[in-house]
């Protein structure tokens, strides 16, 4: 495939514009707090800015590759499976594509790296990613089966969250916050748009299904699964690191030698991580559906962009976002800075980056479309972003106070279950999905660094036990707020209808 020069330049401009759009809110918040509160320059400002820029450019390449290759292939195959009535193969495809996409999810990688660092190696990054991917794959199969049968989403998610609550009471405390955080990041840049397209596409294709009531919810199943399976893994297999074990650090400059050979090896490793997605697409197309790929060259180019974008994201993460998160947290926690400044930073960084979150934008557009404008996309994004900001503030206060995270999350999810029973049916799947797409790929490293850094600086706190959980609160609050909004909107609409009827 040969592209004209003007097409390449146009794509480059689009990528830079998208990168700038995603970068701007976070950069504004960081600059404000650096200038007015921290009042000192970072130790390596050029390295931080360069790494940050590489992350955003890599993310833009990554998304462009998904749009060119993975999403069209996935949506087409889902439609073909549904039309042919091949539900067994449909569920197998759903499992495989979900497993593969979660294993390559950038936000999950960020949490996994940090977990390995602060756990002294007792929770390996690869183990966490594979366990989470397995859980999401199995959960998405259940979610697809729900759409096929036309069951209410509450019939599945309510028992699921009751299981989560029960496990939270007995799971190792080192993994509770991490399990909830993992549930909040598995459906991000890669997985969320794919699951949204799969669910809405199935509900549109199957007779008798409503895209608004039945099409949403796969992200909710995907977000629930890691909370269950990681806690189960912790109960049976997790062994905390012995006291005094040296912390396993993130890759250092010595480990990241930017020679051409080393970079090539890193890129090939990233390609290897993406091979499962390619294998799922090829197997489904040639073996199950028995038809050639519609655009093999486009798939090849798209997968190359995906691999290159993930590679740049991973390298920039180590050089830019993780150090930036540590720099900001260290500056805000030094003597002389009021605690309310830390809370304000948490709220603003959560709100600003969530408003620009690509997965949330995709979900809100689809919700606006299938609700025929009754659920405005901008309103939905604003509510979710406010919920994320409030959730991060509550999570920070919890770390400072030292309360067991289970004492917050168990009542919180019991309240979610209660609202599921009384909220309007149309809002419940969307609310659950919103809880799964709140934290962006940019937000996760900064928020994770904030939680771990705050736990390290607060006397009597354990970074592994207390440092994780901010993402959990950032996922919980939007679900509560969106369902409450649905209830208030329905009440307001009925009240206006009654007033109009009286005035006739």
């Amino acid at each position: 495939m040969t592209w004209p020069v003007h097409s390449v330049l146009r794509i480059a401009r689009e990528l830079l514009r998208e990168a700038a759009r995603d970068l701007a809110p976070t950069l504004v918040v960081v600059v404000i707090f650096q200038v007015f509160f921290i009042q000192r320059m970072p130790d390596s400002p050029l390295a931080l800015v360069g790494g940050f820029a590489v992350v955003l450019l890599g993310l833009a390449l990554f998304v462009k590759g998904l749009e060119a290759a993975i999403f069209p292939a996935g949506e087409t195959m889902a439609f073909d499976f549904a039309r042919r009535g091949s539900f067994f193969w449909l569920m197998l495809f759903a499992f495989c594509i979900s497993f593969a996409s979660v294993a390559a999810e950038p936000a999950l990688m960020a949490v996994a790296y940090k977990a390995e660092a602060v756990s002294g190696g007792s929770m390996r990054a690869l183990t966490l990613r594979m366990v989470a991917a397995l859980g999401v794959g199995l959960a998405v199969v259940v979610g697809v089966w729900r759409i096929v049968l036309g069951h209410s989403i509450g019939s599945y998610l309510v028992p699921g969250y009751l299981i989560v609550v029960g496990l939270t009471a007995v799971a190792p405390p080192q993994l509770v916050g991490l399990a909830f955080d993992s549930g909040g990041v598995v459906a991000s840049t890669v997985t969320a748009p794919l699951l949204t397209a799969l669910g809405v596409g199935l509900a549109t294709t199957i007779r008798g299904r409503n895209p608004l009531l039945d099409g949403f919810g796969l992200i909710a199943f995907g977000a629930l699964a890691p909370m269950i399976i990681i806690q189960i893994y912790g109960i049976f297999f997790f062994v905390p690191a012995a006291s005094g074990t040296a912390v396993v650090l993130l890759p250092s400059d010595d480990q990241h030698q930017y020679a051409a050979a080393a970079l090539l090896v890193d890129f090939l490793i990233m390609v290897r991580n993406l091979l499962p997605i390619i294998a799922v697409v090829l197997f489904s197309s040639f073996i199950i559906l028995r038809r050639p790929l519609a655009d093999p060259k486009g798939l090849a180019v798209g997968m190359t962009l995906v691999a290159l974008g993930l590679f740049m994201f991973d390298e920039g993460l180590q050089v830019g976002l993780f150090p930036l998160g540590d720099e900001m947290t260290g500056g805000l926690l030094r003597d002389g800075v009021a605690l309310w400044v830390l809370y304000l930073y948490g709220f603003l960084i959560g709100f600003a980056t969530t408003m620009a979150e690509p997965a949330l934008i995709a979900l809100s557009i689809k919700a606006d479309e299938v609700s025929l404008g009754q659920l405005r996309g901008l309103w939905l994004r604003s509510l979710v972003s406010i919920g994320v900001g409030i959730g991060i503030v509550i999570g920070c206060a919890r770390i400072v106070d030292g309360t067991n995270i289970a004492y917050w999350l168990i009542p919180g999810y019991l309240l979610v279950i209660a609202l599921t029973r009384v909220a309007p049916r149309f809002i419940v799947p969307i609310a659950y999905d919103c809880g799964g797409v709140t934290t962006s790929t940019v937000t996760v490293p900064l928020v994770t660094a904030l939680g771990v850094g705050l736990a390290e600086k607060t006397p009597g706190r354990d970074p592994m036990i207390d440092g994780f959980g901010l993402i959990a609160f950032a996922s919980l609050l939007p679900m509560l707020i969106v369902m409450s909004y649905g209830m208030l909107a329905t009440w307001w609409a009925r009240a206006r209808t009654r007033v109009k009827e009286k005035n006739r």
Side-chain angles (χ1 to χ4, degrees), residues 88-416:
F88 169 78
W89 292 112
L90 169 64
M91 289 187 289
L92 181 62
F93 170 76
F95 171 83
C96 293
I97 202 69
S98 301
F99 180 94
S101 62
V102 170
E105 183 63 63
L108 182 60
M109 289 182 186
V111 171
Y113 287 148
K114 201 68 174 180
E116 182 170 352
V118 301
S119 69
S122 60
M123 188 70 224
R124 296 290 182 184
L126 181 61
T127 301
L128 178 64
R129 289 168 55 200
M130 292 302 103
V131 170
L134 175 63
V136 173
L138 294 173
V140 169
V141 168
V142 177
V144 168
W145 187 243
R146 177 197 75 87
I147 296 175
V148 171
L149 296 181
H151 291 167
S152 167
I153 192 172
S155 302
Y156 292 80
L157 293 184
V158 168
Y161 277 106
L162 288 175
I163 293 173
V164 168
V165 168
L167 290 173
T168 301
V170 297
Q174 294 89 343
L175 291 191
V176 171
L178 181 60
F180 280 92
D181 279 4
S182 300
V185 301
V186 290
S188 186
T189 309
V190 188
T191 317
L194 186 63
L195 293 184
T196 301
L198 177 62
V200 173
L202 282 175
T204 304
T205 305
I206 299 174
R207 182 178 301 175
R209 301 294 173 267
N210 185 313
L212 187 60
L213 296 177
D214 303 304
F216 292 92
L218 287 185
I219 295 174
F221 280 91
L224 175 64
M227 303 178 194
I228 295 175
I229 197 167
I230 291 175
Q231 293 191 92
I232 292 175
Y233 169 84
I235 293 171
F236 291 101
F237 302 107
F238 179 71
V239 179
S243 178
T245 301
V247 173
V248 178
L249 298 176
L250 295 171
S252 64
D253 290 339
D254 292 336
Q255 292 169 294
H256 278 278
Q257 297 294 333
Y258 292 100
L263 290 175
L264 178 60
V265 170
D266 288 346
F267 178 72
L268 292 177
I269 291 173
M270 195 59 66
V271 171
R272 182 197 63 188
N273 292 339
L274 293 172
L275 285 178
I277 298 179
I278 301 173
V280 170
V281 172
L282 295 179
F283 180 82
S284 300
S285 181
F286 288 108
I287 305 301
I288 302 176
L289 296 175
R290 297 182 180 179
R291 62 172 177 77
L293 293 172
D295 185 12
K297 291 184 179 180
L299 179 64
V301 171
M303 289 307 302
T304 301
L305 292 176
V306 167
L308 182 60
L310 268 181
F311 164 71
M312 295 177 66
F313 173 85
D314 185 59
E315 295 296 326
L317 193 70
Q318 311 301 339
V319 178
L321 280 190
F322 277 138
L324 177 62
D326 294 336
E327 288 270 359
M328 292 296 298
T329 302
L332 292 171
L333 290 175
R334 78 181 196 277
D335 295 337
V337 179
L339 194 58
W340 67 265
V341 176
L342 181 74
Y343 294 154
L344 180 62
Y345 168 74
F347 177 84
L348 292 178
I349 205 73
F351 178 87
T353 53
T354 302
M355 282 295 290
E357 163 58 34
L360 178 60
I361 292 173
L363 176 66
S364 63
I365 291 173
K366 186 64 72 172
D368 197 335
E369 175 186 319
V370 300
S371 68
L372 302 179
Q374 296 180 19
L375 189 61
R376 295 292 182 183
L378 182 59
W379 265 101
L380 185 62
R381 288 168 55 201
S382 301
L383 289 171
V384 171
S385 300
I386 291 171
V388 170
I390 295 174
I392 292 175
V393 172
I394 294 175
C396 289
R398 196 274 311 174
I399 295 175
V400 172
D401 182 70
T403 309
N404 189 320
I405 192 173
Y407 296 160
W408 290 80
L409 294 181
I410 290 177
Y413 278 98
L414 289 176
L415 182 56
V416 168

Side-chain angles (χ1 to χ4, degrees), residues 41-82:
M41 290 291 292
D43 294 337
S44 304
L46 292 179
L48 293 179
V49 173
F52 205 15
V54 170
V55 164
L56 269 298
L57 185 57
L59 186 59
L61 284 171
F62 176 67
V63 172
K64 184 63 65 176
L66 289 178
E67 293 173 349
I70 300 300
F71 292 161
E75 292 176 23
T76 301
M77 289 177 186
F79 277 119
D80 288 344
F81 283 129

